[in-house]
Amino acid sequence: MTDVPPWRRPPRDHFPGVPAWSMPASVVPHERFEVSPLGPVVTREWAWGGADGSGIRVCVLDSGVDTSHPLVGELEASMDVVTGDGGEAAVVPVEPGDEAGHGTACASVIRAIAPAASLTSVRVLSSGSHGTGAALLTGLRWAIDEGFDVINMSLSTTKPEFRDALRELSDAAYFRRCVIVASAHNMPVRSYPWPFASVISVASHDGTDPMAYYYNPSPPVEFYARGVRVRVAWTGGREMLTTGNSFATPHIAGICALILSKHRSLTPFQLKSVLYLTAENVAGSAATENGGARVD
């Protein structure tokens, strides 16, 4: 159990004499583990300079991924959410594939930004762009239990009956240091899980630089990334230009993979702080002149 980081372990049993969830320091010795302190100046060079995503596992929760496309390459695993005879949903291994193209497109963006990151596909959408709430919850729960570092969710649901379950899973991911990067809906409607504070929410900007992103001080969307006329991989070995918050999201997921590959012990709130401090409109001229923003 000692090789499992504390945030991936089951909760401790309750100790008598202290409130629930507390630690009796006189009985339980302090456990030391790696931390990633933020320096006095957080720059893009500090954040991900020289990083390629090595050692980071990214889960693409989508329509599947076509590994035959040269812009995607190999996957760590390809999974599908299936429904059993009793109506229960389960995640099972399948041959890689993507009839819709959406998941392949997202995977190609992540691969372009973090080429050495390990990618796993979990199909929760059908051959079109639709899926069931049960499939979404099952796939997300599996990805959290598997301990992926980053989970790319270029999808959402407008159905309020799934809101509470998605919030619980998003919180569970946060405390297990599984970073969910979630796409805002393309229409001005409420959907989930992107508005939750425990995820990193993304919408689009119309610039052309894949590494340029902006912090949004007006909630609920937190960051804007490239999402207009993005060249992505598609089915049949094709490439195409496409627009949508779905394709802005993997830009941020890829940048998260870069940051985590260089600073492995960052917590989700530290990672979000690094994204904030290195955003184009926060670092401002410091991003190009001095390279970053101060942490005082």
Side-chain angles (χ1 to χ4, degrees):
M1 181 65 76
T2 56
D3 60 340
V4 179
W7 50 91
R8 296 280 168 85
R9 298 177 195 165
R12 274 203 188 102
D13 292 332
H14 175 59
F15 286 92
V18 297
W21 312 104
S22 301
M23 182 189 76
S26 59
V27 177
V28 179
H30 289 291
E31 180 177 6
R32 296 188 178 276
F33 54 90
E34 291 266 337
V35 296
S36 294
L38 304 186
V41 178
V42 175
T43 68
R44 289 190 168 199
E45 177 60 30
W46 177 91
W48 66 75
D52 60 4
S54 297
I56 299 303
R57 301 172 66 231
V58 181
C59 180
V60 180
L61 213 67
D62 214 287
S63 62
V65 173
D66 180 3
T67 57
S68 68
H69 201 291
L71 296 181
V72 175
E74 295 184 1
L75 299 176
E76 177 183 335
S78 180
M79 314 297 290
D80 193 7
V81 178
V82 299
T83 303
D85 295 337
E88 71 283 357
V91 178
V92 299
V94 293
E95 288 297 316
D98 180 10
E99 295 181 19
H102 194 268
T104 301
C106 293
S108 70
V109 173
I110 297 170
R111 184 70 81 201
I113 292 175
S118 171
L119 297 184
T120 289
S121 166
V122 177
R123 183 185 296 141
V124 296
L125 299 178
S126 63
S127 58
S129 58
H130 301 285
T132 67
L136 176 60
L137 293 173
T138 300
L140 179 57
R141 185 177 294 108
W142 180 87
I144 295 168
D145 289 343
E146 288 294 309
F148 285 94
D149 301 295
V150 180
I151 301 172
N152 188 92
M153 292 185 66
S154 290
L155 45 80
S156 65
T157 178
T158 58
K159 297 180 178 179
E161 59 264 35
F162 299 115
R163 178 185 56 201
D164 290 345
L166 281 170
R167 192 191 304 276
E168 290 178 6
L169 286 174
S170 298
D171 286 348
Y174 179 90
F175 288 117
R176 288 174 61 85
R177 300 197 187 185
C178 300
V179 177
I180 297 176
V181 186
S183 171
H185 202 287
N186 287 326
M187 299 297 290
V189 298
R190 295 292 288 185
S191 63
Y192 313 98
W194 65 269
F196 301 156
S198 51
V199 310
I200 296 174
S201 54
V202 189
S204 302
H205 70 66
D206 59 358
T208 59
D209 183 352
M211 300 301 290
Y213 63 92
Y214 302 89
Y215 170 70
N216 175 26
S218 178
V221 174
E222 293 175 299
F223 296 99
Y224 301 121
R226 186 185 181 199
V228 177
R229 292 183 61 79
V230 181
R231 182 168 292 279
V232 296
W234 209 255
T235 56
R238 296 176 295 160
E239 297 178 30
M240 63 181 296
L241 294 175
T242 189
T243 294
N245 295 335
S246 288
F247 311 109
T249 302
H251 283 86
I252 295 295
I255 291 171
C256 286
L258 293 182
I259 296 170
L260 289 174
S261 72
K262 191 171 181 181
H263 305 282
R264 192 66 185 86
S265 298
L266 287 178
T267 65
F269 72 84
Q270 284 180 310
L271 176 60
K272 193 178 288 192
S273 296
V274 171
L275 287 173
Y276 161 73
L277 290 168
T278 52
E280 297 280 333
N281 56 331
V282 174
S285 60
T288 55
E289 295 174 8
N290 302 320
R294 292 193 64 83
V295 179
D296 295 320

